[in-house]
Amino acid sequence: MRVGVVGVGVMGSNHARVFAGISGAELVGVADPDRKQAEFVARTLSCTAVADVDALLGLGVDCITIAAPTHLHRDIALACIGRGVHVMVEKPIASSVEEGREIINAARRAGVTLMVGHVERFNPAVEAIKDAIRNEDILSIAITRVGPFPPRMSNVGVVIDLAVHDIDLIRWFTDSDIVEVQPQLSSAVAEREDIALLQFRTASGVLAHINTNWLTPFKARNVTVATRGKYVMGDLLTRQVTECFGFQPDGSYSMRHLSVGHAEPLRSELLAFMRAIRTGSPPAVTGEEGVASLEIAIRCLDGRPAIIATQRQAPRVVAG
Ligand SMILES: NC(=O)c1ccc[n+]([C@@H]2O[C@H](COP(=O)([O-])OP(=O)(O)OC[C@H]3O[C@@H](n4cnc5c(N)ncnc54)[C@H](O)[C@@H]3O)[C@@H](O)[C@H]2O)c1
């Protein structure tokens, strides 16, 4: 399969690296208007550097990853789909729900595979949690995704940049839509929200909570899931997953570490994309799922200026 990558910054250069190591994939070229960056990646991975998506399509590719800035996803995706090329688009699928739907409709009409890069689903720790809660009566989910400010700020805040990963996980773990949203947002340093505490209820009645910010000096990504019969805790960075089970009337219970794989999530994601193209089956993360998660993230931002403007009605530093 002849593959290309559009946008080879932080994320796209990883897509290119991983594609270059997959047997059955031939990395034909990378496109980026930043010539130095495109040439560096192309030289390292022995492929061709071009300036834009049209030149990349001109090299003859079967599928493309789009890892350019999010506001460009729609136009680049439509250009690829218009040439019958299968598309993996990085998360979030687009800047707006409408643009996301345009991509979905175009892909459907053209009969090409469209997958969205919610790579966390392929984290082996996340897969172990998903397995542990299969057939369980899920009650609540809490996810923490915090860290320092990214080195290069894009024009989105923590909700679109980070929480969208966890919105997707909540929908996937519960296999249910989010029907209620209660967001609390604050911008302590950045212009956009840099702290968000988000609460949700799914159609299936699960309560979920996301704690995310860019104000923590170290990265942390933790998931806990309470079910009627189990309490599952996962660290997505160390990939340690533990479950408590066998609750007894005297308060005792059993605990065990679950076995977690070692696969690189991005490699598993790209293999799943290639498999969907080959078999014609629905991809692991569909365009519709990408739009559904984006829609919830955008709902969390509705009324954002009012929420942020009214946040300081009393001193925050407690004296004495
Ligand atoms: N799945 C994840 O965990 C994850 C992580 C980071 C970023 N992302 C997503 O990946 C995308 C890129 O983010 P990033 O952090 O790699 O950004 P980045 O700024 O590091 O890279 C973007 C690259 O796109 C290039 N570019 C700009 N205009 C272009 C155009 N018209 N055609 C082709 N390339 C163009 C830029 O020169 C830059 O090299 C975003 O949509 C982001 O949300 C996903």
Side-chain angles (χ1 to χ4, degrees):
M1 210 175 278
R2 290 171 62 81
V3 307
V5 179
V6 184
V8 279
V10 174
M11 202 60 202
S13 55
N14 278 307
H15 278 261
R17 169 184 59 78
V18 172
F19 266 138
I22 292 180
S23 69
E26 183 195 347
L27 180 67
V28 175
V30 294
D32 201 304
D34 180 340
R35 228 175 108 178
K36 249 175 94 181
Q37 177 65 5
E39 278 169 6
F40 170 73
V41 174
R43 203 168 43 247
T44 312
L45 300 172
S46 308
C47 67
T48 304
V50 294
D52 58 33
V53 64
D54 289 329
L56 187 58
L57 290 167
L59 297 177
V61 286
D62 301 304
C63 64
I64 270 183
T65 280
I66 301 171
T70 304
H71 69 275
L72 301 172
H73 287 185
R74 189 260 314 258
D75 288 353
I76 295 173
L78 295 184
C80 297
I81 293 167
R83 298 277 287 267
V85 168
H86 305 284
V87 168
M88 153 71 76
V89 59
E90 257 306 337
K91 65 92 240 194
I93 182 169
S95 294
S96 68
V97 167
E98 294 69 30
E99 289 189 359
R101 289 202 181 118
E102 269 186 70
I103 299 175
I104 293 173
N105 291 337
R108 191 176 298 130
R109 276 197 303 271
V112 301
T113 297
L114 166 67
M115 180 161 154
V116 185
H118 281 286
V119 70
E120 201 73 290
R121 284 210 206 172
F122 298 89
N123 182 323
V126 167
E127 288 172 335
I129 295 169
K130 174 80 173 163
D131 281 345
I133 61 176
R134 190 158 284 131
N135 299 321
E136 291 286 324
D137 180 9
I138 303 172
L139 303 175
S140 71
I141 299 173
I143 306 184
T144 300
R145 184 178 297 269
V146 296
F149 272 95
R152 261 192 299 173
M153 282 301 297
S154 63
N155 55 355
V156 295
V158 279
V159 172
I160 298 288
D161 197 52
L162 296 184
V164 77
H165 284 290
D166 304 310
I167 292 169
D168 178 68
L169 290 186
I170 291 164
R171 296 185 69 261
W172 188 57
F173 283 147
T174 59
D175 199 13
S176 183
D177 284 328
I178 290 172
V179 291
E180 274 181 52
V181 170
Q182 291 174 324
Q184 288 292 343
L185 311 173
S186 177
S187 58
V189 177
E191 213 173 287
R192 308 258 170 173
E193 81 287 351
D194 48 23
I195 306 176
L197 297 176
L198 312 173
Q199 296 202 131
F200 306 104
R201 182 188 292 272
T202 66
S204 56
V206 176
L207 303 185
H209 171 87
I210 297 172
N211 166 19
T212 187
N213 69 52
W214 276 323
L215 294 151
T216 307
F218 54 87
K219 261 191 182 185
R221 273 103 176 89
N222 295 301
V223 175
T224 58
V225 184
T227 76
R228 217 167 274 282
K230 282 181 179 179
Y231 188 71
V232 183
M233 300 166 280
D235 183 324
L236 306 190
L237 296 180
T238 63
R239 299 190 182 170
Q240 192 168 66
V241 182
T242 308
E243 67 175 14
C244 305
F245 61 101
F247 306 139
Q248 300 299 320
D250 67 359
S252 65
Y253 57 87
S254 305
M255 203 169 172
R256 68 180 158 220
H257 293 302
L258 301 180
S259 115
V260 178
H262 294 288
E264 180 178 0
L266 188 54
R267 183 177 154 82
S268 305
E269 177 185 84
L270 296 180
L271 286 171
F273 175 49
M274 291 173 64
R275 206 161 40 242
I277 296 171
R278 269 201 210 97
T279 60
S281 51
V285 186
T286 63
E288 286 80 358
E289 289 175 288
V291 164
S293 294
L294 175 64
E295 192 164 18
I296 295 299
I298 289 173
R299 261 173 69 189
C300 291
L301 297 175
D302 285 350
R304 170 184 42 188
I307 293 169
I308 292 177
T310 56
Q311 71 185 351
R312 297 192 72 171
Q313 289 162 351
R316 194 148 45 195
V317 178
V318 180

